[in-house]
Amino acid sequence: MAIRVLPPDLAAKIAAGEVIERPASAVKELIENALDAKSETIDVEIEDGGIARITVRDDGEGMSDDDLRLCTARHATSKLRRDSDLLSIHTLGFRGEALASLAAVAHLSIVTRLQTAKDGFRLDVGPGVEPTLAPAGRAPGTTVDVRRLFASFPARSKFLGTPRTESFHVGRCVHRLAVATPDVGWSLRHGTRWMLRAPAVRDPRERLAQIYGPETARELIPFALTRSGIEVEGLAGPPELRRSHRRDQLFIVNGRPVSDRGLSYVVGSAYHGMLRRGTYPLVLIHVRVPPETVDVNVHPRKDEIRFREPRVVQETVSAALQQALASRYAVPHLASASVAEPRPAGTTPRRSPPSRERLPLDFDRLSQASREEKAGEKVSPAGSRRAIGQLRETYLLVEGPDGLEIVDQHVAHEQILHVRLQRQYTDGDLPRQQFLLPVRIELPFDDAERIIAHRDHLERLGVVLDEFGGGTFLLREYPAALAEQQTRYGFQEAIDRLVEALAHGQSGEQALLGRLLASLACAAAVTAGTSLSRIEQQALVDALMTLEDPYRCPHGRPIILRFDDDELARRFGRR
Ligand code: ADP
Ligand code: MG
């Protein structure tokens, strides 16, 4: 095969693909430019998820006509001059690629006016279009308009999601940058719908209140620690505010929102034992390190970084988080989250904090249900099973007809609730509980959008949510079979789980409803680590034995493990 040098426009498109992957990456680059220009207000508008149009308007420094002429050339930047500047980057941008990349894959028009100038200028440029520059009126600042992203680039446009999906990504990106900059006023509008309106505020907590709601923000625990030149500061969510995703873990390093596995790991270990598997805390962590100790030029999209000494940073973050959590929860705490360090001898492992949502099982309902079901067609073998205790507040020990049985209390309860809910749904009479006092639910705006989009699905399952505005919803109805087992945090968690289930790719309606039912049951089921009375244990076992298949959950996870009398006898040498 003959080697050929690519024509420049094709080479530019390929390079652009690394920087601009989807509308959200375009929005991110434009916002970074606005922040680098020291803007105080940034307004973002998108149409069709940003595929048809993205507009970012700022009130920053602006550009001269000479700069405007140059700004879309590849490797044109005002932020780096010499090699050594790469070692101490203070701006969000520095590669001089974003505008050039955008001009290769979309029609771009930029209107800008220097703070000090009387007039502004406008530049129009796009793939295969000669750039034109003309005088234009504008208040000081810059507006960048991106139209028809990837329209001339089918290889990329094929991989774009629906406008709704793309708008989630844009929302998440704006939200991350807005959290990093409370002193900047933000707005984000998708078509006619506001996704964020957040005037400048004094501190991160107020910004989080704008995004997650005031009740959530109030409960965050502040922390700050400086050690060996590393400044760590932030807000830690109490374990009850758990999420079923990691999206609400926000790491900001020298003002730049980043993803970093090392820091995620540290958060995981700081909360270890306070959260059950598959749930994550809400945390905001600002890290400030000398710029020469972190490499931000790891990835064309600049959302990953490399610390020169990651361990020192991780240990400082870990110590800061631990202090925050220890100040609120009397947890015996380990010296440091010991990133892969063995625990010093003699220390006790952490225990869960006293959970505010520890509710006893609703055993009345459970045993009533099992009585009803027993009266029906199924003859239950439950009578011959006796709950004899709980192991680690997680497993029930049961004397069964043939030996010892160990029951996973969470999976068992989940399965009981799921089967009941499923039957009520199929029978078309899913009893609902109406709340006299509706429960407030607070959601970040991207989650709010999902809930709104699927309101009718949720309603069919007995979950009725009214939009209250600003990401706050009022939960008015809930499936009766589950309502009594939930607290406010439980409801919030259930709704988070529903959002997660809704986000779970495309599938048919039945599959979606099935996932939603399963999420509801899981959120309502008693968790591992909950102490149950003997009566509750027995009620759970009785209810479990009325199921068609009490041994396995639909995903194949066992519910009951059995140790036969024969085997016990053999092991003890009785035979
Ligand atoms: P980089 O941000 O890496 O320098 P970009 O392609 O994003 O590269 O931008 C090129 C240059 O255009 C920037 O260095 C800056 O001088 C100028 N610029 C871009 N956007 C703005 C803006 N909103 N306000 C002022 N100047 C801008
Ligand atoms: Mg830039």
Side-chain angles (χ1 to χ4, degrees), residues 19 29-39 56-64 67-68 70-80 91-102 110-114 141-144 302:
V19 183
E29 294 294 338
L30 297 176
I31 290 176
E32 288 187 351
N33 284 343
L35 288 170
D36 284 343
K38 306 192 177 66
S39 305
V56 176
R57 207 171 287 122
D58 71 46
D59 59 357
E61 288 166 345
M63 280 180 271
S64 68
D67 282 354
L68 182 60
L70 256 184
C71 71
T72 57
R74 188 153 293 278
H75 308 305
T77 177
S78 56
K79 301 167 194 174
L80 283 188
T91 49
L92 293 168
F94 54 87
R95 297 171 59 104
E97 284 183 325
L99 294 182
S101 299
L102 275 172
I110 308 177
V111 182
T112 187
R113 177 177 147 196
L114 278 179
T142 304
T143 304
V144 182
K302 302 166 292 181

Side-chain angles (χ1 to χ4, degrees), residues 74-94:
R74 188 153 293 278
H75 308 305
T77 177
S78 56
K79 301 167 194 174
L80 283 188
R81 303 211 176 274
R82 50 191 96 73
D83 251 24
S84 58
D85 291 350
L86 253 188
L87 296 178
S88 60
I89 288 169
H90 295 274
T91 49
L92 293 168
F94 54 87

Side-chain angles (χ1 to χ4, degrees), residues 18-20 25-34 36 77 79-80 86 89 91-99 101 176-177 251 253-260 294-306:
E18 287 183 4
V19 183
I20 309 296
S25 27
V27 169
K28 169 175 178 287
E29 294 294 338
L30 297 176
I31 290 176
E32 288 187 351
N33 284 343
D36 284 343
T77 177
K79 301 167 194 174
L80 283 188
L86 253 188
I89 288 169
T91 49
L92 293 168
F94 54 87
R95 297 171 59 104
E97 284 183 325
L99 294 182
S101 299
R176 279 192 352 146
L177 284 149
F251 305 126
V253 176
N254 291 357
R256 179 190 306 279
V258 297
S259 18
D260 185 85
V294 53
D295 185 359
V296 292
N297 191 20
V298 179
H299 192 274
R301 284 194 293 275
K302 302 166 292 181
D303 44 14
E304 282 168 38
I305 47 158
R306 205 169 286 144

